[in-house]
Amino acid sequence: MFRIQNKNEIISSYQAGNREFQHTILTAVNLTGINLRQINLDESRLIEINWSNCDLSDASLKNAYLGLSNFQNCHLKYVNFQGADLESANLAGTNLAQANLKNASLRQTNLRGANLQGANLENVCLSGAIYDGTTKFDLSFSPEKAGMVRLSSSLSHTETEQNSGAIKKIWSWCRFSALNLQS
């Protein structure tokens, strides 16, 4: 059974020592810069959460839905994302070293500047995920074979704005579709 929670409940309970938040529903919350190391959010529905600059290292988010969330510059080392849905999430600049992404969906994610060295990428869906020359992979990994798209770091300001507008349109469509599927 899922529990709808709010930001303050989670933060105060976490600070009191609780790390178990499985089956949580949380939508459109700003958690920027918060330390949530070793938190367990397995099988949660965490939609449009701003996790930027958070420390989620050693956290467990198995089979969680994390679509449209912003993890930019988040510390995700050793996180267990096994079976998680991170479709259309922003993972730019994240440290995913040693993360478990087995069977996860990272379709259409932004992985520019992310560190994926040592991450378990077994059966991960990376179709349409974007990366750039600063994204770090193990030497044996081929992003092209995984269906990823390399963005040139030499995009003009106009091209970057156009890409940003297109991504926002896609995200709003995905959000609308997800809401319709839940009804």
Side-chain angles (χ1 to χ4, degrees):
M1 176 160 317
F2 285 96
R3 297 180 313 210
I4 297 176
Q5 300 226 357
N6 69 46
K7 171 184 174 177
N8 295 332
E9 284 178 301
I10 291 174
I11 292 171
S12 62
S13 185
Y14 180 89
Q15 290 173 340
N18 185 16
R19 299 294 182 262
E20 303 301 319
F21 297 91
Q22 301 94 325
H23 306 281
T24 292
I25 297 174
L26 197 59
T27 304
V29 172
N30 185 357
L31 295 172
T32 300
I34 295 176
N35 173 6
L36 296 170
R37 294 175 58 94
Q38 299 177 337
I39 194 168
N40 183 341
L41 288 161
D42 290 349
E43 299 185 22
S44 292
R45 303 296 170 250
L46 307 162
I47 305 160
E48 282 188 279
I49 307 299
N50 185 356
W51 304 92
S52 61
N53 300 304
C54 279
D55 186 352
L56 290 167
S57 53
D58 297 302
S60 185
L61 293 139
K62 291 188 320 191
N63 300 311
Y65 178 80
L66 301 153
L68 306 173
S69 291
N70 180 18
F71 290 92
Q72 189 164 0
N73 299 318
C74 198
H75 190 71
L76 301 170
K77 193 171 185 178
Y78 299 109
V79 171
N80 187 353
F81 281 120
Q82 184 172 346
D85 187 343
L86 290 142
E87 188 166 335
S88 300
N90 181 10
L91 294 159
T94 59
N95 182 2
L96 286 154
Q98 307 301 318
N100 181 4
L101 294 160
K102 183 179 180 178
N103 299 317
S105 175
L106 276 73
R107 292 173 50 95
Q108 311 279 321
T109 58
N110 177 359
L111 290 165
R112 292 182 290 172
N115 179 4
L116 291 147
Q117 292 178 319
N120 180 350
L121 300 175
E122 183 181 341
N123 296 321
V124 66
C125 177
L126 289 160
S127 177
I130 59 172
Y131 72 102
D132 63 14
T134 63
T135 306
K136 297 177 185 171
F137 300 103
D138 288 339
L139 294 176
S140 61
F141 181 76
S142 171
E144 293 82 14
K145 286 183 181 177
M148 296 180 73
V149 177
R150 182 181 173 122
L151 289 185
S152 170
S153 58
S154 63
L155 287 177
S156 71
H157 181 69
T158 304
E159 290 172 314
T160 302
E161 285 179 1
Q162 289 171 345
N163 287 343
S164 176
I167 290 170
K168 285 179 185 175
K169 286 179 186 174
I170 291 169
W171 281 5
S172 67
W173 178 84
C174 290
R175 180 176 179 213
F176 176 74
S177 296
L179 290 173
N180 283 339
L181 289 174
Q182 292 174 356
S183 327

